[in-house]
Amino acid sequence: MAVITFRPILTAVPSKVSSRIIRGYATSIPAKVHHRVVVVGGGTAGVTVAAQLKRSRQTQPLDVAILDAAPIHHYQPGWTLVGSGLKPLKPMQRPLADVIPSGVKHYPLRVSTFDPENNAIKTSEGVDISYDYLVVAPGLETNFAGISGLENALKDPESLVSSIYSDKTCEQVWKNVQAFKQGKAIFTQPAGVIKCAGAPQKILWMALSQWNRNGVRNNIDATFATGAAAMFAVPKYSKALEELRQQRNVEGLFQHNLVAVDAKNKVATFKNLADNGKEVQREFGFLHVVPPQKPWDWVAKSPLADDAGWVDVNKSTTQHNKYPNIFSIGDASSLPNSKTAAAIASQAPVLVDNLVAAMSGRSLDAVYDGYASCPLLTGHNELMLCEFKYGGIPKETFAKVFGSQDKPRRVFYHLKKDFFPYVYWNSFLNGTWFGAQGWSRPNTS
């Protein structure tokens, strides 16, 4: 049998990366392999689904494989904490091999094409992988190149241009916040779909809070420039955040989409979406950028994608609308809700229950109601815990205890800063955390 052999330069592997990942790359992989369930993506969605499948009593023993070439698994919600100076970067990442669930086969390979008619995947490394069932959860692409001049600006620490949307750039955010003492500060949010749509504001509010602490807030003119028409997609929280924006003297530049950054001349160029895309230029001293985001090309150009490029699934069952043995959740899916880790916590048990039902020839009775959560930092020691489901309808976990959650509270701040990172590494990725349900697995039907 032909094999594909990986011989990496071991000196390129970080010294603290476990021997598991080295063995994974060094082991010969057959040119053709088959698994009962193949999961594309080793991020939050993929690892969580694989862990829950292995834990499901209805599926033991189940042959599951994860396909992902990334060496590192990131706790992406933690990048906001890093950019705010609340946490160091190192605890927000671990070798991917260390979070692959026990008993799950990991292939460090990249998908090149999907062949759903033949239940097969072709990889860039030449390995063909076939499956009985497929879970597609590779996340989305953060497109820094989609804004002219942004990549070069981010490489220059003197530019005071930064972004929390990458592990390569989030540490610079905190350095820039600390360095900036006076002038014009602009925080952007792109038009269209992004992961964690509250994050562009989180870093705005945390920067303002830090500048207050540093005694320089009155010297700084702050602007929130967003491609959206309002502060937030859910009306209840949008109203509260708009009041906060006005109280804290932040200019709102709505329906303005950042298209170019001139770091040398300190000019940001926007298109005014409310005025036929007319260009608007703004000078800045400090600029925090959230880049546009999109489906991976190898997903968008595949038979699995809808017209927008997302994996085309039923919004309630997570099953593909054309191929019944394919499922998808997380950022890559067409599920019309907020793309957050909290959403995945609610999506995963629905997918797992419906996938198990499909394997058994039963009806797919598990239903996802669109639940998502955005723990929106509004300053030091305060956070607005936005929870909602399809239709922008609030679905608040703690309202009966603390009252309406459109009011920032300190207890929620510590959930985000201290509790959620711990739970992520110790329960979420092990398949035992279910978001608003805590450690109690929900009845999904």
Side-chain angles (χ1 to χ4, degrees):
M1 180 185 292
V3 297
I4 305 299
T5 303
F6 293 89
R7 295 188 177 90
I9 300 173
L10 294 183
T11 54
V13 180
S15 60
K16 293 187 179 180
V17 173
S18 73
S19 60
R20 280 184 64 194
I21 194 168
I22 297 174
R23 289 198 303 272
Y25 276 83
T27 300
S28 296
I29 300 176
K32 291 186 178 181
V33 294
H34 177 86
H35 291 277
R36 178 73 163 151
V37 179
V38 171
V39 179
V40 173
T44 303
V47 172
T48 301
V49 165
Q52 290 188 20
L53 281 170
K54 294 299 289 185
R55 286 180 174 274
S56 175
R57 295 179 181 177
Q58 303 176 70
T59 61
Q60 293 289 358
L62 183 62
D63 174 27
V64 181
I66 287 179
L67 185 63
D68 196 321
I72 303 296
H73 179 100
H74 300 278
Y75 175 55
Q76 294 186 34
W79 293 344
T80 303
L81 301 176
V82 175
S84 302
L86 300 178
K87 296 284 185 180
L89 178 61
K90 188 176 179 180
M92 304 303 156
Q93 56 193 30
R94 292 185 183 179
L96 176 57
D98 287 356
V99 301
I100 297 295
S102 177
V104 173
K105 177 68 176 179
H106 173 218
Y107 294 105
L109 306 173
R110 296 167 295 170
V111 173
S112 59
T113 57
F114 292 100
D115 182 7
E117 298 292 343
N118 294 300
N119 296 333
I121 297 169
K122 293 186 180 296
T123 70
S124 300
E125 295 80 4
V127 178
D128 292 341
I129 300 179
S130 58
Y131 56 82
D132 295 327
Y133 293 88
L134 176 66
V135 177
V136 185
L140 51 70
E141 180 180 2
T142 305
N143 185 22
F144 287 96
I147 297 175
S148 177
L150 177 58
E151 290 180 306
N152 287 334
L154 290 171
K155 293 175 184 177
D156 178 9
E158 302 301 318
S159 70
L160 290 189
V161 177
S162 59
S163 177
I164 58 170
Y165 272 73
S166 167
D167 64 304
K168 303 295 190 299
T169 60
C170 61
E171 290 178 300
Q172 188 62 43
V173 177
W174 174 238
K175 295 176 184 177
N176 289 1
V177 169
Q178 289 287 73
F180 194 58
K181 306 298 182 185
Q182 63 179 6
K184 299 180 183 297
I186 301 177
F187 298 79
T188 76
Q189 176 171 336
V193 175
I194 63 171
K195 51 187 169 185
C196 192
Q201 282 185 70
K202 295 176 188 179
I203 196 62
L204 159 69
W205 303 125
M206 291 306 298
L208 294 182
S209 182
Q210 186 61 45
W211 289 329
N212 272 322
R213 287 185 165 195
N214 293 349
V216 298
R217 173 65 183 93
N218 291 337
N219 302 329
I220 296 171
D221 294 324
T223 297
F224 182 58
T226 172
M231 291 293 286
F232 201 72
V234 179
K236 174 178 180 175
Y237 304 119
S238 184
K239 180 177 182 293
L241 290 163
E242 174 63 16
E243 291 174 356
L244 206 63
R245 181 189 70 78
Q246 294 183 25
Q247 291 169 7
R248 296 183 179 181
N249 195 27
V250 176
E251 178 190 17
L253 206 58
F254 297 100
Q255 292 185 278
H256 279 64
N257 198 38
L258 181 68
V259 294
V261 177
D262 181 347
K264 181 180 179 181
N265 295 304
K266 300 286 188 181
V267 174
T269 301
F270 299 86
K271 283 191 175 180
N272 185 348
L273 305 180
D275 191 11
N276 298 313
K278 180 181 178 180
E279 287 197 349
V280 175
Q281 292 190 331
R282 286 293 189 97
E283 294 182 351
F284 67 85
F286 172 105
L287 179 64
H288 179 270
V289 179
V290 177
Q293 289 150 53
K294 64 188 184 72
W296 295 106
D297 284 346
W298 45 273
V299 173
K301 296 177 181 178
S302 78
L304 307 184
D306 62 12
D307 291 341
W310 309 107
V311 182
D312 186 17
V313 294
N314 181 285
K315 74 173 189 176
S316 298
T317 66
T318 77
Q319 183 184 45
H320 198 274
N321 285 318
K322 181 177 180 181
Y323 303 103
N325 64 332
I326 297 177
F327 294 77
S328 179
I329 61 171
D331 295 351
S333 76
S334 65
L335 296 172
N337 70 324
S338 182
K339 296 183 182 295
T340 67
I344 291 170
S346 290
Q347 294 164 3
V350 171
L351 185 153
V352 168
D353 286 354
N354 282 334
L355 178 54
V356 170
M359 287 178 173
S360 305
R362 294 183 280 109
S363 62
L364 277 58
D365 296 329
V367 175
Y368 173 57
D369 66 0
Y371 174 85
S373 173
C374 177
L376 209 157
L377 290 159
T378 54
H380 289 89
N381 300 314
E382 59 176 68
L383 183 145
M384 186 182 297
L385 185 56
C386 308
E387 294 182 285
F388 46 92
K389 59 183 180 178
Y390 284 144
I393 300 171
K395 187 181 179 181
E396 298 180 343
T397 304
F398 302 103
K400 291 183 179 180
V401 179
F402 299 112
S404 180
Q405 292 177 199
D406 58 355
K407 179 180 178 181
R409 300 181 188 278
R410 180 163 189 160
V411 64
F412 298 151
Y413 172 85
H414 288 290
L415 283 178
K416 167 72 176 176
K417 176 178 173 288
D418 303 311
F419 181 71
F420 290 155
Y422 174 84
V423 165
Y424 185 79
W425 296 118
N426 292 281
S427 297
F428 202 142
L429 296 181
N430 295 332
T432 59
W433 176 255
F434 304 98
Q437 298 291 325
W439 288 278
S440 299
R441 199 181 194 286
N443 179 0
T444 58
S445 59

